[in-house]
Amino acid sequence: MASTQHPSNSSKAYPGHVGSRPRQQMLRWVDPRHKSAGYLGFIFNRVAGIGLVLYLYMHLIVLSTLTRGPEAWDGFVAFAKSPLILAMDIVLLAGLLGHGLNGLRVALVGSGIAVKQQRTLLNGVLVLAGVLLLIGGALILVL
Amino acid sequence: MSWTINVTIERHIVARPVTTDRYTVEIEPHRNILDVIEKIWAEQDRTLTFRHGCHHASCGSCAIVANGREVLPCIVHVEDTVKKDGGTLALGPLRNFPVIADLVVDMEPLFAVMEKAGMPIVGPADPLPGQPEDDYNAFENCIECGICMSACPVVATDSEYMGPAGLAAVYQSINHTADASERSRLLDMVDTPSGIWRCHVAYECSELCPSNVDPAGKIMTLRRMATFRRIRRLLGIKEKKEATHGIDTTPVKQ
Amino acid sequence: MQQQRERYPDDSMRWIGQSISGVLLIVLLAIHMIAQHYMVEGGLRDYEQVMVWLRSPWVLAMEIIFLGVVTYHALLGARSIAYDFGLPLAVQKNVNRILLAIGVVTFGYGLWLILTIYQQALQF
Ligand code: SF4
């Protein structure tokens, strides 16, 4: 038998407390290891959701260049066609599709409407999001 | 043919830092994880603390985390978790519960909610999946093992959340009474931010529940009941004296 | 357990709201994506094309609805994440107030933006 001390936990031993729960770990929900599909969907939706909120504000700020006349806007349009931005657009599209379609599933299941079909719905969401992402992504690159 | 596996166990001992202990165990791959634990206790380390009872998934007292997933070690085979001869088996106590010692946690957070739900522990259960209703009518499915609480992402961050098993218990209680005011009281209890609305539909509880309780499904059904009630109130429709929320309320024969 | 926390009998309404706004967003976003990005060569309208497009009052109305729904959905989602951390009652109330303030500011700014651009489009 060999023994190693936990690097992370070494300072806080559990003093055998009764009736209280261990201190909650705020970022526990984001750990995808050993999780099943539904849980991964939950992580995805939340991470994508946070990303989309940030994007929303970025988008609103960027759109203000429209108020500064044609030069400002057309300058931005030219910038937005750089390969890096196009790649990020594809990530954005993936986030939108995933969050939207999975959100639809969560809305249906979570309102008690399609409780029994949650597995089927999850697979459907994956397939549909994949197909739409392929089409949409290709269009971003072609246009 | 025996396998030689490397077992690591999180050791939680009062007033000592948490450590990970390593053991090498020889065992047939078709044996259960609980056999591994008992073998270590019998042959290598008498200080190891763990809890078990029935050895056949009835008592729910042995639940632990094995290789990252919540399991009942009494019914999970070594070969299904360790996968290969020479592989690793990492064991730890359930998450989201206070640890008493090593693999033993304090189940108080679960029982507290169960009590509020009216402890529907020995009520008649749902029929087993795939079985006609009268063929098998097991006792209450939930064995209070706490696996769902340990696996739930919301319980992990919010200790106020009632948790999957507790909400499923409330569902059972609602389902087994025809008294409209009692049903309404029970629904009030879970129609709260710490109740059904805190759930994020990750379905990990239903995925890992060893007893086919499908807590997530129960939470979703409770939500439908709460939503419909809300809409009815919005439209000014009076509650029927025996509101059934679309659920069969015929009292179950004892 | 939950007595210590603020009781919101309206959480079911929030859920319904989040679901409905989500569905609306799928529809609005699909229109937005196709109209703004997939119908025009190059994937982005240049200034002139934006102005022509925005002149329609229908488009104006749609953009305002879009703005409102997306702000509502986003901030309700943020609230849900914040509440998952088991916040004490006083903090919960503050979260609500802060998010409401952010929502009002966002909508106000967005509305100003849309109307300014609309005016530009009319004069264009
Ligand atoms: S619902 Fe399932 S996982 Fe949760 S305590 Fe009951 S038997 Fe265990």
Side-chain angles (χ1 to χ4, degrees), chain C residues 17-74:
Chain C
Q18 190 71 334
S19 305
I20 292 177
S21 61
V23 172
L24 269 178
L25 277 180
I26 295 182
V27 177
L28 290 170
L29 206 64
I31 299 175
H32 172 91
M33 290 297 285
I34 293 170
Q36 301 284 37
H37 302 301
Y38 287 129
M39 256 168 44
V40 282
E41 209 171 319
L44 261 179
R45 288 167 185 270
D46 62 24
Y47 188 79
E48 200 188 320
Q49 288 167 322
V50 174
M51 292 301 137
V52 172
W53 170 250
L54 262 184
R55 230 175 273 163
S56 146
W58 290 108
V59 173
L60 177 75
M62 198 186 77
E63 295 294 338
I64 293 176
I65 294 174
F66 191 16
L67 172 72
V69 177
V70 83
T71 313
Y72 172 80
H73 190 84

Side-chain angles (χ1 to χ4, degrees), chain A residues 2-4 6 20 36 112 119, chain B residues 20-22 98 106 204 207 224:
Chain A
S3 187
T4 33
H6 270 221
S20 69
S36 16
R119 262 306 172 77
Chain B
T20 299
D21 286 357
R22 293 185 166 67
D106 178 7
E204 197 71 0
E207 197 69 44
R224 181 176 64 215

Side-chain angles (χ1 to χ4, degrees), chain B residues 110 141-149 165 168 205 208-211 213 215:
Chain B
L110 172 62
N141 286 353
C142 177
I143 55 175
E144 291 84 37
C145 63
I147 282 182
C148 51
M149 300 264 288
C205 51
L208 294 180
C209 171
S211 209
V213 172

Side-chain angles (χ1 to χ4, degrees), chain B residues 97-115:
Chain B
F97 288 97
V99 180
I100 295 173
D102 296 346
L103 300 178
V104 179
V105 297
D106 178 7
M107 303 296 280
E108 164 70 20
L110 172 62
F111 292 147
V113 189
M114 284 294 187
E115 202 170 307

